[in-house]
Amino acid sequence: MKSLHDSISDLKGVGPKKQEALFDLDIHTIFDLLTYFPFRYDDFKVSNLSELKDQQLTTISGVVAAEPTVNFFGRKKNRLIVRLLVGRDVIPVTFFNQAWLKKQIEVDQKILVYGKFSASQKSLLGMKILKGNTSERFSPIYSVNSKITQKTLRQLIKDAFKDYQSVITEFLPQWIIKKYRLESFLSVIKNMHFPKSPSDVKLAKRTAKFEEFFLFQMQLQTIKNQHQKDDNARISADKLNLMPFIDKLPYRLTAAQDRVVNEILADLHRPYTMNRLLQGDVGSGKTVVAAIAILATIWSKKQAVMLAPTEILAEQHANGLAELFQNLGINVALLTGDTPQQARKQILPRIKDGSINLVIGTHALFQDKVKYHDLGLAVIDEQHRFGVKQRRKMREKGKATNILSMTATPIPRTLSITAYGEMDVSVIDELPGGRKPIKTTWIKSAQIRTMLNFLWKHLKNGEQVYVVVPLIEQSETLDMRNVNDTFEKFKQEFNPKFSVGLLHGSMNDEDKKNVMQDFKANKTNILVSTTVIEVGVDVSNASIMVIFDADHFGLAQLHQLRGRVGRGSQQSYCVLIADPKNEVGVKRMDVISSSTDGFLISQKDLELRGPGDILGNQQSGIQNFKIGDPIADLNILSTAQEVAKEITDNEEWKQLDENQELIRCLKILNKNTSFD
Ligand code: ADP
Ligand code: MG
């Protein structure tokens, strides 16, 4: 019995060599081959000259008006010119290095030529002469490698379709096809490979994309539902228990904070381990939300940890949380790489016996030596700073550790659906009231004087300034300002009237701490720094952020850096200095200076630079689609996600008859996931 999941070697004419070539294209089964869709179609439809745009690829039809001429030039180069009578126009068609075509062309003969049109010269750069064959007028182009040709692949697909079309069964349940007006799987395959017109392709593509996204989402949802049911994961404290604490906060929670607190508490209440991503723009108040979840955990007699990527941030959290939890009888410990051996010796046993309720720290928290009593919750701040392995290590520190990951890098929906599809997401989409949006200006480096004058004015008002520079080391290849140079220049400009501090990653932690403390206490007016200040640092009197070579940063990072100001009640500013070298660079600077919406910024950044740059390639999980484009086809992607959720939310979905073909398909596609 034939099946789409047969190996391609079952196809006649596919020996070891062809099989290897197909493996390189990630084609292993007939299913893979039949869903290996063309990446474009050459449309050889004959156009009218009057409709053509400049540089458009087109086919024109005409009569050869004169004997073609050939010129030889340079070394081994030649140019063949054919004058073609098209209606009343004579169009010169130039072929480069195809002098041999001359033999095929006769005067007064009618020919079809494919090429690129130049509107200004009314001429054509010829690429191909077409024979009278109409079936070639609209033809699929596949991406191939050096081991296999376009022609061979086309033939294989044709053969496979012929042999297997009778066993192409629908894997989508009928109700989905009806509800979203999709085509059958059979006609998708037929119309993608052997279309008669562009509109055949257009319709088939819509369904093909849906199918691809849907299968992917089904796999994600299934992985997600595999999280084992575990009563240990349950945090029993609920909102009512926590109200007295929430009411005593020095401010009222924003509606968005309140909503995500509810989402998190409900999740913690379930007997499944939580795996939730909390997204919120810089300054949206994620810390207090985490604090509430931590308190719920501790009041349910479990331990909590909060993991931060830097010493500075860990310490800031330790102080902040200790203050929030004052008089509640909660024992908080700070554990970082910096913690002296002596103190460490005292802390570790107290973590192990459970007398410490909350541990805050850096990478030290998931070292083997650190043993927990009953770890109920791990909060991972700035989670994108930690690798997958590190996050897993943290999770494995407890029997059933709930994870709350936090990030200020607003992840566009596209990416959160694909890369983070296996996490639940909560979003704080509102800033606490009373804050004025930061005003951002972009200047060229020639205008630095204006910026310095601007700083003088604000420093005299008692405000503080951050200056950020991309690199620490002087680099010969990169034309970027050195942080030490900048520090010297700022001292020359502002000393002795105003004091300037210096902070960078290669300083020792003691020095870093002192520099930060001086800035926080307003002892230094200007802080020149590398991006070490990027993360979470909170100095509300700082109202100006100057960023040198801003075009060397990602937009999300600029947005995050900029979020260091605008934390107090005064108007804050961000001055970006950049001389972008290309169009994309200019666009990026325009985007960041005209918007303060982190989600919009990261969506634009994604469109301008591609996903790899934003999340790092292996994390982005976005490249692997064959036909769907998660950025351009976001609507189809989210519909596919909704449908996949709708199906898997029904606990009995695997028993339903209508899903049997889908399950078979998923089992074969994803051998790592158990569907039993
Ligand atoms: P982020 O989301 O960037 O981590 P933080 O948690 O550091 O933001 O909060 C930024 C500042 O806003 C802190 O000083 C915090 O005390 C304050 N804050 C948090 N929530 C509120 C609120 N609802 N109203 C007023 N201020 C708040
Ligand atoms: Mg924070």
Side-chain angles (χ1 to χ4, degrees):
M1 173 66 184
K2 278 190 171 133
S3 150
L4 287 190
H5 304 293
D6 289 348
S7 158
I8 37 158
S9 60
D10 292 353
L11 214 54
K12 61 175 184 291
V14 178
K17 257 197 163 157
K18 265 190 202 145
Q19 188 170 11
E20 200 190 307
L22 291 168
F23 279 5
D24 286 353
L25 299 174
D26 220 11
I27 299 173
H28 300 262
T29 63
I30 304 290
F31 182 93
D32 296 338
L33 181 65
L34 290 177
T35 56
Y36 193 80
F37 295 131
F39 74 95
R40 73 178 162 87
Y41 298 83
D42 273 346
D43 188 357
F44 298 132
K45 187 169 82 72
V46 175
S47 310
N48 265 333
L49 286 185
S50 57
E51 292 163 2
L52 288 177
K53 293 187 198 76
D54 193 38
Q55 301 306 306
Q56 186 179 331
L57 286 171
T58 182
T59 303
I60 59 174
S61 159
V63 175
V64 179
E67 186 70 23
T69 56
V70 178
N71 302 314
F72 291 89
F73 62 99
R75 288 182 59 204
K76 294 188 188 163
K77 289 183 185 161
N78 62 63
R79 182 193 293 129
L80 169 73
I81 299 176
V82 186
R83 296 187 177 279
L84 212 57
L85 185 64
V86 182
R88 288 185 189 160
D89 297 299
V90 175
I91 306 291
V93 182
T94 309
F95 292 90
F96 284 97
N97 305 323
Q98 296 184 64
W100 48 270
L101 281 175
K102 187 171 165 15
K103 279 192 262 150
Q104 301 180 9
I105 303 169
E106 286 163 30
V107 180
D108 286 339
Q109 182 194 19
K110 190 169 179 180
I111 60 170
L112 289 174
V113 188
Y114 180 71
K116 196 185 263 181
F117 186 68
S118 157
S120 58
Q121 299 173 1
K122 264 203 157 179
S123 67
L124 194 77
L125 175 65
M127 293 171 175
K128 195 171 174 180
I129 292 189
L130 304 172
K131 321 223 166 67
N133 181 358
T134 43
S135 71
E136 217 191 295
R137 299 266 168 90
F138 189 71
S139 61
I141 307 292
Y142 297 90
S143 91
V144 288
N145 55 27
S146 58
K147 293 182 191 159
I148 195 163
T149 64
Q150 217 33 261
K151 206 170 148 193
T152 312
L153 190 61
R154 256 186 231 179
Q155 192 57 48
L156 285 176
I157 290 172
K158 221 177 232 172
D159 294 346
F161 185 72
K162 210 171 104 216
D163 289 0
Y164 285 86
Q165 62 172 315
S166 61
V167 294
I168 297 180
T169 35
E170 208 57 65
F171 60 86
L172 289 180
Q174 279 304 323
W175 67 269
I176 300 178
I177 298 186
K178 287 218 182 77
K179 184 166 175 192
Y180 297 98
R181 283 188 230 104
L182 302 172
E183 293 190 5
S184 70
F185 190 38
L186 177 68
S187 66
V188 167
I189 290 177
K190 191 165 158 225
N191 288 330
M192 288 300 290
H193 293 297
F194 322 108
K196 294 206 184 59
S197 71
S199 74
D200 281 355
V201 175
K202 205 173 154 197
L203 288 171
K205 246 189 196 163
R206 185 174 158 266
T207 300
K209 285 173 178 177
F210 180 89
E211 286 170 344
E212 182 174 33
F213 287 146
F214 174 73
L215 286 176
F216 169 75
Q217 285 297 334
M218 282 302 297
Q219 294 173 47
L220 274 186
Q221 296 304 324
T222 318
I223 295 170
K224 201 160 140 181
N225 292 351
Q226 271 174 1
H227 287 305
Q228 297 246 318
K229 198 168 166 171
D230 191 338
D231 281 316
N232 286 315
R234 195 174 162 142
I235 303 292
S236 52
D238 59 25
K239 190 87 176 280
L240 222 54
N241 305 121
L242 294 157
M243 269 339 275
F245 171 76
I246 296 173
D247 285 341
K248 277 208 196 86
L249 289 171
Y251 41 75
R252 292 193 47 193
L253 294 183
T254 62
Q257 284 172 318
D258 196 51
R259 175 171 41 77
V260 302
V261 163
N262 290 339
E263 288 168 5
I264 292 168
L265 291 178
D267 204 351
L268 288 173
H269 212 253
R270 287 186 203 115
Y272 292 90
T273 48
M274 178 172 83
N275 188 17
R276 187 167 283 272
L277 179 69
L278 175 59
Q279 283 190 42
D281 224 335
V282 273
S284 61
K286 294 184 289 297
T287 316
V288 68
V289 171
I292 293 168
I294 289 170
L295 201 56
T297 308
I298 296 172
W299 281 353
S300 305
K301 310 241 162 8
K302 287 168 189 285
Q303 265 178 331
V305 300
M306 184 154 179
L307 184 62
T310 64
E311 305 268 339
I312 295 179
L313 193 57
E315 198 163 315
Q316 188 176 291
H317 278 322
N319 295 334
L321 289 176
E323 200 181 313
L324 275 176
F325 294 155
Q326 250 179 73
N327 307 324
L328 293 176
I330 289 174
N331 293 321
V332 181
L334 176 69
L335 185 69
T336 70
D338 251 14
T339 309
Q341 206 51 41
Q342 197 63 27
R344 183 177 292 257
K345 262 195 197 135
Q346 290 179 347
I347 295 171
L348 289 183
R350 298 187 59 219
I351 296 178
K352 196 172 172 192
D353 70 16
S355 54
I356 286 175
N357 312 103
L358 168 62
V359 197
I360 296 166
T362 54
H363 299 75
L365 292 185
F366 48 77
Q367 279 167 0
D368 290 338
K369 272 178 251 158
V370 190
K371 301 268 191 291
Y372 294 86
H373 183 66
D374 183 7
L375 190 56
L377 174 71
V379 176
I380 306 180
D381 198 14
E382 311 291 346
Q383 66 98 32
H384 57 285
R385 292 295 194 90
F386 295 94
V388 178
K389 266 200 197 131
Q390 298 175 314
R391 281 181 264 167
R392 186 182 319 132
K393 259 186 152 172
M394 196 67 248
R395 176 190 287 280
E396 284 166 0
K397 283 292 186 183
K399 282 198 291 282
T401 316
N402 294 290
I403 303 278
L404 180 64
S405 302
M406 307 204 290
T407 184
T409 306
I411 296 156
R413 232 155 63 80
T414 315
L415 288 179
S416 63
I417 292 178
T418 55
Y420 294 112
E422 86 290 2
M423 285 199 219
D424 293 297
V425 180
S426 289
V427 180
I428 308 184
D429 51 7
E430 157 185 24
L431 294 180
R435 298 232 179 94
K436 297 186 180 121
I438 302 161
K439 289 189 178 157
T440 300
T441 327
W442 163 37
I443 61 168
K444 300 258 172 90
S445 48
Q447 298 161 275
I448 281 179
R449 190 69 250 163
T450 340
M451 179 271 293
L452 292 172
N453 294 343
F454 179 79
L455 295 191
W456 274 107
K457 205 175 93 196
H458 285 270
L459 286 162
K460 281 177 190 159
N461 285 342
E463 295 167 49
Q464 287 172 281
V465 178
Y466 288 107
V467 177
V468 175
V469 185
L471 274 191
I472 319 169
E473 298 299 324
Q474 193 120 39
S475 156
E476 288 169 346
T477 47
L478 285 168
D479 175 29
M480 291 197 271
R481 266 152 214 85
N482 170 298
V483 68
N484 288 309
D485 278 4
T486 311
F487 176 55
E488 291 305 324
K489 281 186 193 136
F490 271 77
K491 277 202 295 198
Q492 272 171 33
E493 172 82 19
F494 294 104
N495 279 349
K497 193 104 179 121
F498 297 108
S499 63
V500 186
L502 173 66
L503 183 72
H504 59 72
S506 44
M507 287 163 57
N508 73 40
D509 293 318
E510 191 61 32
D511 290 345
K512 274 191 218 165
K513 218 178 292 168
N514 291 336
V515 172
M516 272 321 292
Q517 264 158 15
D518 284 353
F519 191 63
K520 236 180 162 159
N522 204 352
K523 284 185 199 154
T524 35
N525 310 95
I526 302 171
L527 182 62
V528 175
S529 157
T530 57
T531 52
V532 286
I533 59 137
E534 171 190 350
V535 160
V537 172
D538 198 0
V539 179
S540 60
N541 191 48
S543 61
I544 302 179
M545 166 71 59
V546 176
I547 304 174
F548 280 95
D549 295 305
D551 50 333
H552 291 270
F553 294 96
L555 290 191
Q557 202 183 3
L558 286 175
H559 181 63
Q560 183 141 10
L561 280 167
R562 172 170 74 175
R564 299 303 110 221
V565 299
R567 305 207 139 206
S569 51
Q570 79 273 42
Q571 176 64 55
S572 292
Y573 301 89
C574 173
V575 183
L576 305 172
I577 302 159
D579 306 287
K581 298 204 165 42
N582 56 34
E583 196 69 16
V584 171
V586 171
K587 278 219 188 85
R588 294 174 66 239
M589 289 303 112
D590 284 341
V591 168
I592 186 85
S593 29
S594 61
S595 174
T596 52
D597 175 347
F599 283 91
L600 184 116
I601 289 168
S602 66
Q603 181 68 38
K604 290 277 181 221
D605 208 19
L606 181 66
E607 286 162 18
L608 290 168
R609 291 195 310 165
D613 281 338
I614 293 186
L615 286 180
N617 265 320
Q618 97 278 20
Q619 220 192 337
S620 73
I622 202 174
Q623 271 86 349
N624 307 329
F625 293 105
K626 293 201 279 189
I627 176 150
D629 173 348
I631 299 169
D633 306 320
L634 180 58
N635 286 336
I636 304 180
L637 176 59
S638 26
T639 308
Q641 186 186 43
E642 277 162 32
V643 178
K645 274 195 178 144
E646 193 176 332
I647 291 178
T648 52
D649 274 353
N650 178 348
E651 300 228 344
E652 257 99 61
W653 74 275
K654 285 179 198 161
Q655 268 93 63
L656 299 182
D657 278 351
E658 61 180 12
N659 296 331
Q660 291 318 307
E661 198 52 42
L662 174 61
I663 288 170
R664 220 164 72 87
C665 189
L666 287 168
K667 269 186 183 163
I668 293 161
L669 287 182
N670 193 351
K671 295 175 192 80
N672 307 324
T673 312
S674 116
F675 284 89
D676 304 320

